[in-house]
Amino acid sequence: MQAPTILVTGFEPFGGESINPSAEIARRLDGGMVEGRRVAGRVLSCAFGRAREELLVALADVAPVLVVALGQAGGRREVSLERVAINVDDARIADNAGAQPIDRPVVAGGPVAYWSTLPIKAIVAALRAAGLPAAVSQSAGTFVCNHLFFGLMHALERRPAARGGFVHVPWLPEQAARHPGEFALPLADQLRAIELVIATALKTPTDAALAGGALS
Ligand code: PCA
């Protein structure tokens, strides 16, 4: 059997939720094919440090050419293509292991930031053309998602053949029901969006310089 070549990660539920759309997506894509490539899906702990360690194990296992890391961003109104990972942990709430780092580097002595190496503008255009809400996001926050994103891009520095980045996804409808007035995107649309993220990344070696991809 051909080895998996695309890694999709999601996170376990956190912050009082019983599900996390990113985990549902990673589970459903695991073992499937997108654009003739096999996908490996992994669900990571929502914990500083541990999530990065689990990612490094998955990178070594899968040896992917493309990594799409996913996380939930409840309240966002679109699938968010994160532009940049920053070298800081600054948690508003405790993670699932009870840790709440404040103003700490992800990698001591590391660079201030890393850019996503996904073609984020081309992906936003492809998602919107497919009728899915999408935007470039200028910040993945300073919680476990940004931590994992920074750890991913740091690791990919030593794997120059692999590209990767981070995508935040909105609430699922059953979650939004407990957050009245907030936006939700059904799981089928979230899955379609992430398959399109993968397909567009594989087809787009260099990002398109499109104006208007960002909402902020
Ligand atoms: N979202 C959180 C961490 C895990 C997740 O799915 C975040 O945006 O940092």
Side-chain angles (χ1 to χ4, degrees):
M1 201 177 72
Q2 191 200 342
T5 56
I6 296 161
L7 176 63
V8 175
T9 66
F11 279 105
E12 64 185 3
F14 71 103
E17 297 295 315
S18 56
I19 49 172
N20 186 323
S22 66
E24 302 303 318
I25 297 166
R27 277 198 203 100
R28 279 168 180 75
L29 294 183
D30 183 41
M33 305 283 286
V34 177
E35 292 286 308
R37 302 270 187 174
R38 194 158 285 278
V39 179
R42 297 283 193 278
V43 178
L44 307 176
S45 303
C46 185
F48 289 98
R50 195 184 303 159
R52 253 185 88 199
E53 287 159 23
E54 291 168 353
L55 173 70
L56 295 182
V57 170
L59 286 174
D61 267 11
V62 174
V65 291
L66 180 69
V67 184
V68 178
L70 305 173
Q72 160 196 305
R76 291 225 190 152
R77 306 187 63 81
E78 56 282 314
V79 174
S80 299
L81 279 294
E82 299 295 347
R83 191 194 292 263
V84 59
I86 60 175
N87 193 5
V88 68
D89 292 334
D90 195 10
R92 184 176 48 83
I93 57 171
D95 69 12
N96 285 2
Q100 189 172 3
I102 309 286
D103 296 343
R104 282 220 307 258
V106 180
V107 175
V112 171
Y114 287 113
W115 302 117
S116 172
T117 50
L118 297 179
I120 54 174
K121 296 280 187 76
I123 291 169
V124 167
L127 291 176
R128 289 180 180 174
L132 294 161
V136 169
S137 163
Q138 319 299 358
S139 172
T142 53
F143 193 51
V144 182
C145 285
N146 173 75
H147 176 86
L148 195 271
F149 182 18
F150 190 93
L152 168 65
M153 301 319 297
H154 191 66
L156 293 187
E157 287 281 286
R158 291 184 301 283
R159 293 175 177 268
R163 289 182 297 155
F166 199 95
V167 182
H168 264 121
V169 293
W171 295 129
L172 292 168
E174 55 268 51
Q175 295 179 288
R178 292 194 311 278
H179 299 273
E182 295 196 3
F183 180 79
L185 194 63
L187 184 58
D189 287 338
Q190 298 213 17
L191 278 167
R192 197 156 63 89
I194 301 311
E195 284 175 349
L196 250 182
V197 167
I198 294 168
T200 308
L202 290 172
K203 285 192 283 217
T204 316
T206 308
D207 200 6
L210 300 173
L215 292 183
S216 57

